[in-house]
Amino acid sequence: MAPILVLVRQLRDAVKQRLGEEALLWLTLFGVLLGLCVGAVARTLEASARSVELLGLPGELLLRALKALVLPLIALSMVSGVVSLRRQNAGRTASVTLYFYALSACASVTLAVLLVSAIRPGAGRTLGARCAEVQPTLVQSNATDGGPGHSGEDATVALDSLLNALRGAVPSNVIAAAAEGNTLGIITVSLAFGAALAATPGCEQAIELMISLNGATQTIVSWALRWMPLGVGSLVAGKVAEACDPIGALQTLGMFVFCVLAGLVVQTGALTLAYMVQSKRSPRRLLKSSSPALAAVLGTSSSTAALPVTLRCAQSLGIDKAVADFCLPLGATVNMNGTAMYEAITVVTIAQVHGIELGVGGTLAVMAT
């Protein structure tokens, strides 16, 4: 037994020496590829529901751990970020951040509407009989009350969405907001609390406590991230194993997938170009250092759940910790450009499949919501 343990340690040390700081990235990517293969084999063998559940259990546990850390991480990061920015030009940092988030969100939604209107992935297509139990819910949720073609109803839905977002940003009960996972409300309260700490004399000990608690949370996050290759591989394997005829769905929705991917590629290219113009640096280091966050998002399908990994990537890039603690939790909640683009393309595609003309009012409602 002892020689085997020695061999395992030597192999581990050799991998660390070979890969260096990129070990987590390469191991995570290897986990994704292994998960794809294992999931495909399980699907081919028609594994039982219990076997698929056990296959995805490690990933589910990792995802639950990361989600459990999200709220304390957001709250403490926002408070620490606001407090740390008190000696810097915090107002300018906040205004530039919010301006960029709003501009990029509008650009992504506009690009989505232009692409889906030009490509028309849903025109002349039917969803077919595959995975029939999923389709009625999908269609009904996007074509309720006569579909999205009624501009008056669309305006009401857009206004209701905006009002609900504003209500969520100002929770009446902080504990309830935390229990419900209302991250927008937690961010608002954390920003206010951090600003109050920074503006109140004699709060140095409380400030140091918040910074220490944030550091302790980051330590717990680092412990959880050690299991990311196994967890991400498990999640991917479970999703592939339980997928409902992925090849057939891809054949039916091929143009829709192409439209979404085209939008994401254009958006990524525009952001990369903006980075090059602004920083006058090559984007290679940025893309390389942010790869673990991209892998985490791929495995968890949640930018909020991947926030701990994103914060670590920001540290590896040398970004000021105060700026990262302020900008990234806020961005993970309100700056979901990919989600906005995907949802806009999905709604318009479903309308095209059912022969519903959105019109100017309906299209604006889709962009607003």
Side-chain angles (χ1 to χ4, degrees), residues 56-102:
L57 181 60
E60 181 184 355
L61 295 178
L62 175 66
L63 186 58
R64 292 172 69 90
L66 291 176
K67 286 184 176 181
L69 292 169
V70 163
L71 281 180
L73 185 63
I74 287 178
L76 294 171
S77 295
M78 295 299 293
V79 172
S80 301
V82 172
V83 168
S84 300
L85 286 172
R86 71 188 187 277
R87 297 187 182 92
Q88 304 177 21
N89 192 353
R92 183 177 182 277
T93 300
S95 60
V96 170
T97 300
L98 295 176
Y99 174 75
F100 172 76
Y101 286 168

Side-chain angles (χ1 to χ4, degrees), residues 44 58 77 103 166-167 172 176 187 208 252 268 285 297 307 341-342:
T44 303
S77 295
L103 182 62
L166 293 176
R167 294 188 185 101
S172 58
I187 285 178
E208 292 300 325
T252 304
T268 303
R285 181 168 178 262
V297 170
L307 179 60
M341 178 180 294
Y342 167 76

Side-chain angles (χ1 to χ4, degrees), residues 119-122 125 250-260:
I119 298 176
R120 298 186 62 81
R125 288 177 170 80
L250 185 61
Q251 291 175 349
T252 304
L253 302 176
M255 291 303 297
F256 168 76
V257 174
F258 171 76
C259 187
V260 173

Side-chain angles (χ1 to χ4, degrees), residues 70 74 101 183 187 302-307 310 326-336 339:
V70 163
I74 287 178
Y101 286 168
T183 54
I187 285 178
S302 172
S303 56
T304 303
L307 179 60
T310 309
F326 175 80
C327 297
L328 293 181
L330 186 63
T333 305
V334 303
N335 188 43
M336 296 182 289
T339 301

Side-chain angles (χ1 to χ4, degrees), residues 163-213:
L163 294 178
N164 289 333
L166 293 176
R167 294 188 185 101
V170 186
S172 58
N173 189 318
V174 179
I175 305 300
E180 295 168 359
N182 181 7
T183 54
L184 188 58
I186 297 300
I187 285 178
T188 303
V189 174
S190 302
L191 285 174
F193 187 69
L197 282 179
T200 304
C203 291
E204 285 75 14
Q205 291 184 348
I207 291 174
E208 292 300 325
L209 175 62
M210 289 296 169
I211 295 176
S212 299
L213 289 176

Side-chain angles (χ1 to χ4, degrees), residues 157-338:
V157 171
L159 181 59
D160 288 341
S161 300
L162 178 60
L163 294 178
N164 289 333
L166 293 176
R167 294 188 185 101
V170 186
S172 58
N173 189 318
V174 179
I175 305 300
E180 295 168 359
N182 181 7
T183 54
L184 188 58
I186 297 300
I187 285 178
T188 303
V189 174
S190 302
L191 285 174
F193 187 69
L197 282 179
T200 304
C203 291
E204 285 75 14
Q205 291 184 348
I207 291 174
E208 292 300 325
L209 175 62
M210 289 296 169
I211 295 176
S212 299
L213 289 176
N214 186 38
T217 306
Q218 297 281 0
T219 301
I220 299 176
V221 167
S222 67
W223 293 345
L225 293 183
R226 294 178 183 178
W227 298 96
M228 193 169 71
L230 174 63
V232 171
S234 172
L235 284 171
V236 172
K239 293 297 183 182
V240 173
E242 68 181 5
C244 184
D245 194 7
I247 302 302
L250 185 61
Q251 291 175 349
T252 304
L253 302 176
M255 291 303 297
F256 168 76
V257 174
F258 171 76
C259 187
V260 173
L261 292 178
L264 295 176
V265 168
V266 173
Q267 179 81 352
T268 303
L271 292 176
T272 304
L273 181 61
Y275 170 81
M276 294 174 60
V277 172
Q278 182 67 26
S279 66
K280 296 180 174 59
R281 298 178 181 175
S282 171
R284 291 183 59 184
R285 181 168 178 262
L286 172 66
L287 297 176
K288 182 179 179 180
S289 299
S290 60
S291 297
L294 298 177
V297 170
L298 175 64
T300 62
S301 300
S302 172
S303 56
T304 303
L307 179 60
V309 190
T310 309
L311 287 169
R312 294 276 298 230
C313 292
Q315 293 178 8
S316 67
L317 282 168
I319 297 175
D320 186 272
K321 190 175 184 302
V323 175
D325 287 343
F326 175 80
C327 297
L328 293 181
L330 186 63
T333 305
V334 303
N335 188 43
M336 296 182 289
N337 296 339

